[in-house]
Every structure is written in structure tokens, then in C-alpha cells.
Amino acid sequence: AKSRFWYFLSQLRKLKKATGEIVSVSRVYEKRPLAIKNFGIWLRYNSRSGTHNMYREYRDLTAGKAVTACYRDMGARHRARAHSIHIIKVEEIAASKCRRPNTLQFHNSKIKFPLTHRTNHKLHAPRITTSRP
Amino acid sequence: AVVSTQSTGAHGDDKGKLVAIVDVIDQNRALVDGPCSGVGRKDINFKALHLTPFTIPIAHSARSGAVRKAWEKAEVTKKWSESTWAKKLASREKRSQLSDFDRFKLMKAKQARNRIINIEFGKLRNAARKAKK
């Protein structure tokens, strides 16, 4: 966390670890971790042929989880590795200001959708049993 | 507003408990609360939930107190424990806890019941044979 701090700070200001001092490092906890929020994340990432800005939206309980979802999503959709992603800003967005249809479709107090193709993945099948699987 | 049972191997300690789906976070996750079954409010994947036919009338994202009140008013725990589904789960649980002596007692009870059934069956069969002649 500290070295990442210096990485970003020296990009923004004329400061480096040798010329600056970290006063405190503390975890920032989510204020309302049990309330569902829409997070807008502004980022900048390197693709194979250039670097681009992006704005993405995620619906989640905490900012930390939303950012993690963002990293996974970028890896999945754009093959962007974590080292090539800079998260510029994370902000809780009011429902009326959301832009992406994927978040907007959940802004429905009478939402309903079927749970299709429910399979049993048997994730925790024991390695040794007395009964045939 | 729907009540569902949790059934996962992962969240072993909360397995099989009743919770109410309080809100939908996104395609895969629901915000879930079980004030009357000792489950704290949390987000959970739909894949870890089995929906029950019971519902309670709460507003979306209602707080734990409101959920508890609606739950107790609708007597969900009582209705659940009277349902065949819950009884089957309970008997499955009981069966897995049987000791060898219990299994012996079970065998003897089954034998006694089958004797009674077979005697009656024999009577019916003989009556049918006589009627055919």
C-alpha cells in the first residue's frame, strides 16, 4: 500500500519516498457496509495498443468490493492485468445518475427474474467416501 | 421479501438456515437477513439459496428490525417447520445421526410394520384368488 502510494503520488506531484514522509496508514472502512450502492469507477488502463480512459459502474455493498469486481471485470473483458490499471476515482453514484444499462436494470423495486439452469456443482464432494458418487 | 434456505458447503455454519431476501444486489447476489434464525445481514450468491414458498411483506432494503417484525407476524419459522420440506430435512439429519443401536431399533420397527402389511396383503390376495375361481 505504501509503495503504491508513492507510485501514484510521484505521478501527481514532485514528491518521492526520499523527499516525503508517510504520516499514517490506516484502513478506511465502509460507512454503510449493509446498504446496496451503485459505484462509478473512473479508470485508466493500458491496452495492447494504447492507453485509454474508462468509466464503469458496479453495484455492490462496499467500495473495496466494487473495485475488486472492477479489476476482475477488466481482466475478463479487456485482458487488462492489474499492473496496467490505474483507478482514478471511485464514487458512490445516486441511482438517477447511473449511466450503464446493466446497473439501471436493477433499479426496480418490483424486480423479478428466474434463476435458470440451476445445477449442483458438487464443489465440496469428499475425496474419500463410502457411497458411490 | 422471499424467504429462502441457505444451503452451501462453503458457509458451513450458516447451512440450512432460513433467511429472507431483503434486496437484490445484481444478477448473482442478494442482500439477505435472518434475524429470527441467527444469520447476520450479508450478501450471498443466489446459487447458495433455495427459495421457499413463504414470503413476508417487507419493503426492499428494510432494516433488520422491520424484517424481524414481519417474520414473526407471518410466523414463518412455525410454517417452515410444519412443511414437508423441513420435515424431510429433519428426518435426513436424524438418520445421519443414528447410532448402531438406533439402527437396530429401526430395523426391528420396520420388520414389525412389514409383517402387518404383508398379512393384510396376503388376505387381500387370497380373497382375490377365491373371487377369480
Side-chain angles (χ1 to χ4, degrees):
Chain A
K2 289 199 276 189
S3 82
R4 208 72 183 137
F5 171 74
W6 288 122
Y7 172 73
F8 285 116
L9 197 57
S10 35
Q11 285 186 348
L12 301 170
R13 299 279 180 271
K14 194 146 180 206
L15 254 188
K16 51 187 185 173
K17 183 161 163 223
T19 62
E21 181 187 348
I22 288 183
V23 173
S24 92
V25 179
S26 58
R27 176 134 183 216
V28 178
Y29 289 98
E30 186 71 28
K31 261 231 182 95
R32 296 173 310 145
L34 299 171
I36 300 174
K37 307 169 204 74
N38 308 295
F39 287 100
I41 298 182
W42 283 259
L43 36 85
R44 161 195 160 137
Y45 83 105
N46 293 336
S47 69
R48 290 177 194 149
S49 31
T51 146
H52 317 272
N53 291 325
M54 269 191 180
Y55 165 73
R56 305 181 75 84
E57 282 179 4
Y58 297 94
R59 232 171 111 77
D60 218 310
L61 295 179
T62 68
K65 280 187 172 183
V67 169
T68 303
C70 181
Y71 274 106
R72 302 285 180 268
D73 198 34
M74 288 298 292
R77 297 206 143 90
H78 301 280
R79 305 299 195 248
R81 275 75 188 176
H83 66 80
S84 52
I85 296 174
H86 292 177
I87 304 258
I88 301 168
K89 181 163 77 156
V90 178
E91 198 183 291
E92 188 190 326
I93 312 270
S96 51
K97 298 236 172 58
C98 286
R99 287 155 44 184
R100 301 291 184 252
N102 197 25
T103 27
L104 291 174
Q105 69 181 340
F106 290 102
H107 293 165
N108 178 1
S109 65
K110 295 195 177 53
I111 193 169
K112 58 181 213 161
F113 52 88
L115 300 174
T116 57
H117 193 53
R118 300 206 99 201
T119 48
N120 176 11
H121 293 279
K122 282 219 157 220
L123 291 174
H124 303 284
R127 194 167 282 197
I128 298 174
T129 37
T130 52
S131 49
R132 295 184 71 123
Chain B
V2 185
V3 178
S4 44
T5 24
Q6 284 192 230
S7 67
T8 42
H11 307 278
D13 37 336
D14 277 341
K15 193 171 178 174
K17 293 200 183 153
L18 278 182
V19 289
I21 296 179
V22 165
D23 207 345
V24 164
I25 299 175
D26 61 17
Q27 174 92 33
N28 300 319
R29 283 173 306 149
L31 183 62
V32 122
D33 198 359
C36 299
S37 54
V39 180
R41 184 170 260 230
K42 61 181 180 184
D43 64 332
I44 205 166
N45 198 316
F46 283 116
K47 293 190 180 177
L49 296 172
H50 284 203
L51 300 182
T52 68
F54 307 114
T55 58
I56 46 178
I58 46 172
H60 76 265
S61 279
R63 274 184 276 209
S64 286
V67 177
R68 178 189 287 270
K69 258 205 246 165
W71 187 298
E72 282 166 359
K73 184 146 183 250
E75 292 183 337
V76 174
T77 338
K78 183 153 97 57
K79 285 198 195 143
W80 164 251
S81 52
E82 287 167 359
S83 72
T84 344
W85 182 353
K87 287 192 196 144
K88 274 200 253 182
L89 286 181
S91 75
R92 202 191 294 168
E93 163 85 40
K94 196 147 193 254
R95 212 172 263 216
S96 68
Q97 304 286 3
L98 289 179
S99 75
D100 186 59
F101 184 46
D102 290 328
R103 272 176 261 133
F104 175 77
K105 285 191 276 185
L106 181 65
M107 176 197 47
K108 288 299 176 193
K110 271 192 183 172
Q111 275 181 352
R113 183 181 73 165
N114 287 336
R115 279 198 195 107
I116 299 172
I117 292 175
N118 285 328
I119 288 170
E120 282 308 311
F121 170 70
K123 287 186 194 160
L124 286 174
R125 186 188 53 183
N126 292 336
R129 277 208 195 133
K130 266 219 190 107
K132 210 160 72 155
K133 277 210 230 130

PDB file of all heavy atoms in Angstrom, chain A residues 38-58:
ATOM      1  N   ASN A  38     -24.510   2.022  -5.803  1.00  0.00           N
ATOM      2  CA  ASN A  38     -24.002   1.975  -7.168  1.00  0.00           C
ATOM      3  C   ASN A  38     -22.686   2.717  -7.193  1.00  0.00           C
ATOM      4  O   ASN A  38     -22.635   3.889  -6.830  1.00  0.00           O
ATOM      5  CB  ASN A  38     -24.978   2.675  -8.119  1.00  0.00           C
ATOM      6  CG  ASN A  38     -26.372   2.136  -7.956  1.00  0.00           C
ATOM      7  OD1 ASN A  38     -26.643   0.987  -8.227  1.00  0.00           O
ATOM      8  ND2 ASN A  38     -27.277   2.984  -7.483  1.00  0.00           N
ATOM      9  N   PHE A  39     -21.619   2.036  -7.585  1.00  0.00           N
ATOM     10  CA  PHE A  39     -20.312   2.699  -7.608  1.00  0.00           C
ATOM     11  C   PHE A  39     -19.914   3.013  -9.037  1.00  0.00           C
ATOM     12  O   PHE A  39     -19.989   2.149  -9.916  1.00  0.00           O
ATOM     13  CB  PHE A  39     -19.248   1.796  -6.980  1.00  0.00           C
ATOM     14  CG  PHE A  39     -19.368   1.706  -5.495  1.00  0.00           C
ATOM     15  CD1 PHE A  39     -19.975   0.612  -4.908  1.00  0.00           C
ATOM     16  CD2 PHE A  39     -18.895   2.719  -4.686  1.00  0.00           C
ATOM     17  CE1 PHE A  39     -20.104   0.533  -3.539  1.00  0.00           C
ATOM     18  CE2 PHE A  39     -19.023   2.654  -3.310  1.00  0.00           C
ATOM     19  CZ  PHE A  39     -19.626   1.554  -2.739  1.00  0.00           C
ATOM     20  N   GLY A  40     -19.498   4.260  -9.248  1.00  0.00           N
ATOM     21  CA  GLY A  40     -18.925   4.641 -10.528  1.00  0.00           C
ATOM     22  C   GLY A  40     -17.427   4.663 -10.363  1.00  0.00           C
ATOM     23  O   GLY A  40     -16.908   5.224  -9.394  1.00  0.00           O
ATOM     24  N   ILE A  41     -16.716   3.997 -11.247  1.00  0.00           N
ATOM     25  CA  ILE A  41     -15.250   3.925 -11.146  1.00  0.00           C
ATOM     26  C   ILE A  41     -14.653   4.491 -12.415  1.00  0.00           C
ATOM     27  O   ILE A  41     -14.972   4.043 -13.521  1.00  0.00           O
ATOM     28  CB  ILE A  41     -14.794   2.470 -10.939  1.00  0.00           C
ATOM     29  CG1 ILE A  41     -15.369   1.941  -9.626  1.00  0.00           C
ATOM     30  CG2 ILE A  41     -13.278   2.390 -10.914  1.00  0.00           C
ATOM     31  CD1 ILE A  41     -14.955   0.545  -9.311  1.00  0.00           C
ATOM     32  N   TRP A  42     -13.813   5.523 -12.222  1.00  0.00           N
ATOM     33  CA  TRP A  42     -13.091   6.085 -13.357  1.00  0.00           C
ATOM     34  C   TRP A  42     -11.722   5.445 -13.385  1.00  0.00           C
ATOM     35  O   TRP A  42     -11.017   5.441 -12.367  1.00  0.00           O
ATOM     36  CB  TRP A  42     -12.944   7.605 -13.185  1.00  0.00           C
ATOM     37  CG  TRP A  42     -14.194   8.354 -13.494  1.00  0.00           C
ATOM     38  CD1 TRP A  42     -14.475   9.020 -14.637  1.00  0.00           C
ATOM     39  CD2 TRP A  42     -15.316   8.546 -12.622  1.00  0.00           C
ATOM     40  NE1 TRP A  42     -15.703   9.616 -14.551  1.00  0.00           N
ATOM     41  CE2 TRP A  42     -16.247   9.331 -13.330  1.00  0.00           C
ATOM     42  CE3 TRP A  42     -15.631   8.124 -11.331  1.00  0.00           C
ATOM     43  CZ2 TRP A  42     -17.479   9.716 -12.782  1.00  0.00           C
ATOM     44  CZ3 TRP A  42     -16.857   8.486 -10.781  1.00  0.00           C
ATOM     45  CH2 TRP A  42     -17.761   9.276 -11.517  1.00  0.00           C
ATOM     46  N   LEU A  43     -11.330   4.908 -14.525  1.00  0.00           N
ATOM     47  CA  LEU A  43     -10.002   4.333 -14.576  1.00  0.00           C
ATOM     48  C   LEU A  43      -9.289   4.659 -15.872  1.00  0.00           C
ATOM     49  O   LEU A  43      -9.837   5.219 -16.802  1.00  0.00           O
ATOM     50  CB  LEU A  43     -10.009   2.823 -14.345  1.00  0.00           C
ATOM     51  CG  LEU A  43     -11.029   1.875 -14.808  1.00  0.00           C
ATOM     52  CD1 LEU A  43     -10.765   1.438 -16.205  1.00  0.00           C
ATOM     53  CD2 LEU A  43     -10.936   0.637 -13.930  1.00  0.00           C
ATOM     54  N   ARG A  44      -8.025   4.288 -15.844  1.00  0.00           N
ATOM     55  CA  ARG A  44      -7.159   4.490 -16.996  1.00  0.00           C
ATOM     56  C   ARG A  44      -6.370   3.213 -17.098  1.00  0.00           C
ATOM     57  O   ARG A  44      -5.863   2.718 -16.093  1.00  0.00           O
ATOM     58  CB  ARG A  44      -6.277   5.700 -16.693  1.00  0.00           C
ATOM     59  CG  ARG A  44      -5.062   5.826 -17.504  1.00  0.00           C
ATOM     60  CD  ARG A  44      -4.143   6.833 -16.825  1.00  0.00           C
ATOM     61  NE  ARG A  44      -2.803   6.636 -17.297  1.00  0.00           N
ATOM     62  CZ  ARG A  44      -1.995   7.623 -17.626  1.00  0.00           C
ATOM     63  NH1 ARG A  44      -2.394   8.870 -17.514  1.00  0.00           N
ATOM     64  NH2 ARG A  44      -0.781   7.365 -18.051  1.00  0.00           N
ATOM     65  N   TYR A  45      -6.340   2.598 -18.300  1.00  0.00           N
ATOM     66  CA  TYR A  45      -5.630   1.332 -18.377  1.00  0.00           C
ATOM     67  C   TYR A  45      -4.868   1.249 -19.683  1.00  0.00           C
ATOM     68  O   TYR A  45      -5.187   1.941 -20.660  1.00  0.00           O
ATOM     69  CB  TYR A  45      -6.621   0.167 -18.260  1.00  0.00           C
ATOM     70  CG  TYR A  45      -7.316  -0.204 -19.545  1.00  0.00           C
ATOM     71  CD1 TYR A  45      -6.958  -1.353 -20.246  1.00  0.00           C
ATOM     72  CD2 TYR A  45      -8.328   0.588 -20.068  1.00  0.00           C
ATOM     73  CE1 TYR A  45      -7.593  -1.688 -21.431  1.00  0.00           C
ATOM     74  CE2 TYR A  45      -8.961   0.265 -21.239  1.00  0.00           C
ATOM     75  CZ  TYR A  45      -8.594  -0.883 -21.922  1.00  0.00           C
ATOM     76  OH  TYR A  45      -9.226  -1.208 -23.097  1.00  0.00           O
ATOM     77  N   ASN A  46      -3.840   0.396 -19.678  1.00  0.00           N
ATOM     78  CA  ASN A  46      -3.056   0.156 -20.890  1.00  0.00           C
ATOM     79  C   ASN A  46      -3.600  -1.049 -21.608  1.00  0.00           C
ATOM     80  O   ASN A  46      -3.622  -2.142 -21.067  1.00  0.00           O
ATOM     81  CB  ASN A  46      -1.588  -0.108 -20.529  1.00  0.00           C
ATOM     82  CG  ASN A  46      -0.933   1.112 -19.949  1.00  0.00           C
ATOM     83  OD1 ASN A  46      -1.347   2.233 -20.193  1.00  0.00           O
ATOM     84  ND2 ASN A  46       0.091   0.894 -19.140  1.00  0.00           N
ATOM     85  N   SER A  47      -4.030  -0.835 -22.847  1.00  0.00           N
ATOM     86  CA  SER A  47      -4.384  -1.988 -23.657  1.00  0.00           C
ATOM     87  C   SER A  47      -3.142  -2.339 -24.478  1.00  0.00           C
ATOM     88  O   SER A  47      -2.090  -1.724 -24.316  1.00  0.00           O
ATOM     89  CB  SER A  47      -5.551  -1.655 -24.572  1.00  0.00           C
ATOM     90  OG  SER A  47      -5.130  -0.743 -25.563  1.00  0.00           O
ATOM     91  N   ARG A  48      -3.291  -3.326 -25.335  1.00  0.00           N
ATOM     92  CA  ARG A  48      -2.125  -3.728 -26.120  1.00  0.00           C
ATOM     93  C   ARG A  48      -1.693  -2.648 -27.085  1.00  0.00           C
ATOM     94  O   ARG A  48      -0.555  -2.601 -27.522  1.00  0.00           O
ATOM     95  CB  ARG A  48      -2.430  -5.004 -26.894  1.00  0.00           C
ATOM     96  CG  ARG A  48      -2.548  -6.178 -25.963  1.00  0.00           C
ATOM     97  CD  ARG A  48      -2.923  -7.445 -26.665  1.00  0.00           C
ATOM     98  NE  ARG A  48      -3.324  -8.422 -25.666  1.00  0.00           N
ATOM     99  CZ  ARG A  48      -4.225  -9.368 -25.877  1.00  0.00           C
ATOM    100  NH1 ARG A  48      -4.852  -9.457 -27.047  1.00  0.00           N
ATOM    101  NH2 ARG A  48      -4.532 -10.215 -24.922  1.00  0.00           N
ATOM    102  N   SER A  49      -2.623  -1.762 -27.463  1.00  0.00           N
ATOM    103  CA  SER A  49      -2.242  -0.773 -28.479  1.00  0.00           C
ATOM    104  C   SER A  49      -2.380   0.661 -28.008  1.00  0.00           C
ATOM    105  O   SER A  49      -2.435   1.557 -28.819  1.00  0.00           O
ATOM    106  CB  SER A  49      -3.072  -1.005 -29.744  1.00  0.00           C
ATOM    107  OG  SER A  49      -4.333  -1.521 -29.414  1.00  0.00           O
ATOM    108  N   GLY A  50      -2.454   0.915 -26.726  1.00  0.00           N
ATOM    109  CA  GLY A  50      -2.551   2.311 -26.296  1.00  0.00           C
ATOM    110  C   GLY A  50      -3.107   2.380 -24.888  1.00  0.00           C
ATOM    111  O   GLY A  50      -3.428   1.366 -24.293  1.00  0.00           O
ATOM    112  N   THR A  51      -3.215   3.598 -24.359  1.00  0.00           N
ATOM    113  CA  THR A  51      -3.807   3.685 -23.022  1.00  0.00           C
ATOM    114  C   THR A  51      -5.101   4.496 -23.104  1.00  0.00           C
ATOM    115  O   THR A  51      -5.196   5.480 -23.839  1.00  0.00           O
ATOM    116  CB  THR A  51      -2.805   4.242 -21.978  1.00  0.00           C
ATOM    117  OG1 THR A  51      -3.502   5.011 -21.024  1.00  0.00           O
ATOM    118  CG2 THR A  51      -1.719   5.068 -22.618  1.00  0.00           C
ATOM    119  N   HIS A  52      -6.134   4.038 -22.395  1.00  0.00           N
ATOM    120  CA  HIS A  52      -7.468   4.611 -22.521  1.00  0.00           C
ATOM    121  C   HIS A  52      -8.070   4.938 -21.172  1.00  0.00           C
ATOM    122  O   HIS A  52      -7.709   4.338 -20.171  1.00  0.00           O
ATOM    123  CB  HIS A  52      -8.417   3.627 -23.213  1.00  0.00           C
ATOM    124  CG  HIS A  52      -7.804   2.948 -24.393  1.00  0.00           C
ATOM    125  ND1 HIS A  52      -7.831   3.465 -25.657  1.00  0.00           N
ATOM    126  CD2 HIS A  52      -7.127   1.781 -24.479  1.00  0.00           C
ATOM    127  CE1 HIS A  52      -7.219   2.647 -26.477  1.00  0.00           C
ATOM    128  NE2 HIS A  52      -6.772   1.612 -25.806  1.00  0.00           N
ATOM    129  N   ASN A  53      -9.005   5.893 -21.192  1.00  0.00           N
ATOM    130  CA  ASN A  53      -9.792   6.193 -20.003  1.00  0.00           C
ATOM    131  C   ASN A  53     -11.093   5.425 -20.071  1.00  0.00           C
ATOM    132  O   ASN A  53     -11.599   5.128 -21.160  1.00  0.00           O
ATOM    133  CB  ASN A  53     -10.120   7.690 -19.937  1.00  0.00           C
ATOM    134  CG  ASN A  53      -8.898   8.513 -19.678  1.00  0.00           C
ATOM    135  OD1 ASN A  53      -8.010   8.097 -18.958  1.00  0.00           O
ATOM    136  ND2 ASN A  53      -8.845   9.685 -20.265  1.00  0.00           N
ATOM    137  N   MET A  54     -11.640   5.128 -18.907  1.00  0.00           N
ATOM    138  CA  MET A  54     -12.909   4.405 -18.878  1.00  0.00           C
ATOM    139  C   MET A  54     -13.735   4.854 -17.702  1.00  0.00           C
ATOM    140  O   MET A  54     -13.184   5.259 -16.678  1.00  0.00           O
ATOM    141  CB  MET A  54     -12.651   2.916 -18.683  1.00  0.00           C
ATOM    142  CG  MET A  54     -12.516   2.153 -19.941  1.00  0.00           C
ATOM    143  SD  MET A  54     -12.562   0.429 -19.494  1.00  0.00           S
ATOM    144  CE  MET A  54     -12.395  -0.262 -21.096  1.00  0.00           C
ATOM    145  N   TYR A  55     -15.032   4.705 -17.840  1.00  0.00           N
ATOM    146  CA  TYR A  55     -15.924   4.885 -16.699  1.00  0.00           C
ATOM    147  C   TYR A  55     -16.776   3.629 -16.610  1.00  0.00           C
ATOM    148  O   TYR A  55     -17.425   3.249 -17.580  1.00  0.00           O
ATOM    149  CB  TYR A  55     -16.811   6.112 -16.893  1.00  0.00           C
ATOM    150  CG  TYR A  55     -17.977   6.159 -15.938  1.00  0.00           C
ATOM    151  CD1 TYR A  55     -17.783   6.450 -14.595  1.00  0.00           C
ATOM    152  CD2 TYR A  55     -19.261   5.878 -16.371  1.00  0.00           C
ATOM    153  CE1 TYR A  55     -18.841   6.456 -13.711  1.00  0.00           C
ATOM    154  CE2 TYR A  55     -20.330   5.897 -15.499  1.00  0.00           C
ATOM    155  CZ  TYR A  55     -20.117   6.189 -14.168  1.00  0.00           C
ATOM    156  OH  TYR A  55     -21.176   6.191 -13.299  1.00  0.00           O
ATOM    157  N   ARG A  56     -16.741   2.964 -15.465  1.00  0.00           N
ATOM    158  CA  ARG A  56     -17.515   1.729 -15.328  1.00  0.00           C
ATOM    159  C   ARG A  56     -18.370   1.815 -14.077  1.00  0.00           C
ATOM    160  O   ARG A  56     -18.030   2.522 -13.132  1.00  0.00           O
ATOM    161  CB  ARG A  56     -16.575   0.535 -15.227  1.00  0.00           C
ATOM    162  CG  ARG A  56     -15.611   0.455 -16.391  1.00  0.00           C
ATOM    163  CD  ARG A  56     -14.717  -0.744 -16.256  1.00  0.00           C
ATOM    164  NE  ARG A  56     -15.418  -1.961 -16.578  1.00  0.00           N
ATOM    165  CZ  ARG A  56     -15.584  -2.418 -17.810  1.00  0.00           C
ATOM    166  NH1 ARG A  56     -15.095  -1.754 -18.827  1.00  0.00           N
ATOM    167  NH2 ARG A  56     -16.235  -3.536 -18.023  1.00  0.00           N
ATOM    168  N   GLU A  57     -19.452   1.079 -14.087  1.00  0.00           N
ATOM    169  CA  GLU A  57     -20.345   1.091 -12.914  1.00  0.00           C
ATOM    170  C   GLU A  57     -20.479  -0.301 -12.336  1.00  0.00           C
ATOM    171  O   GLU A  57     -20.547  -1.279 -13.085  1.00  0.00           O
ATOM    172  CB  GLU A  57     -21.739   1.607 -13.304  1.00  0.00           C
ATOM    173  CG  GLU A  57     -21.784   3.100 -13.450  1.00  0.00           C
ATOM    174  CD  GLU A  57     -23.149   3.591 -13.859  1.00  0.00           C
ATOM    175  OE1 GLU A  57     -24.086   2.771 -13.958  1.00  0.00           O
ATOM    176  OE2 GLU A  57     -23.269   4.801 -14.082  1.00  0.00           O
ATOM    177  N   TYR A  58     -20.533  -0.363 -10.992  1.00  0.00           N
ATOM    178  CA  TYR A  58     -20.727  -1.638 -10.318  1.00  0.00           C
ATOM    179  C   TYR A  58     -21.699  -1.444  -9.180  1.00  0.00           C
ATOM    180  O   TYR A  58     -21.677  -0.430  -8.495  1.00  0.00           O
ATOM    181  CB  TYR A  58     -19.391  -2.186  -9.780  1.00  0.00           C
ATOM    182  CG  TYR A  58     -18.421  -2.483 -10.888  1.00  0.00           C
ATOM    183  CD1 TYR A  58     -17.481  -1.546 -11.272  1.00  0.00           C
ATOM    184  CD2 TYR A  58     -18.491  -3.685 -11.590  1.00  0.00           C
ATOM    185  CE1 TYR A  58     -16.628  -1.797 -12.318  1.00  0.00           C
ATOM    186  CE2 TYR A  58     -17.640  -3.937 -12.639  1.00  0.00           C
ATOM    187  CZ  TYR A  58     -16.713  -2.991 -13.001  1.00  0.00           C
ATOM    188  OH  TYR A  58     -15.873  -3.232 -14.046  1.00  0.00           O
TER     189      TYR A  58
END
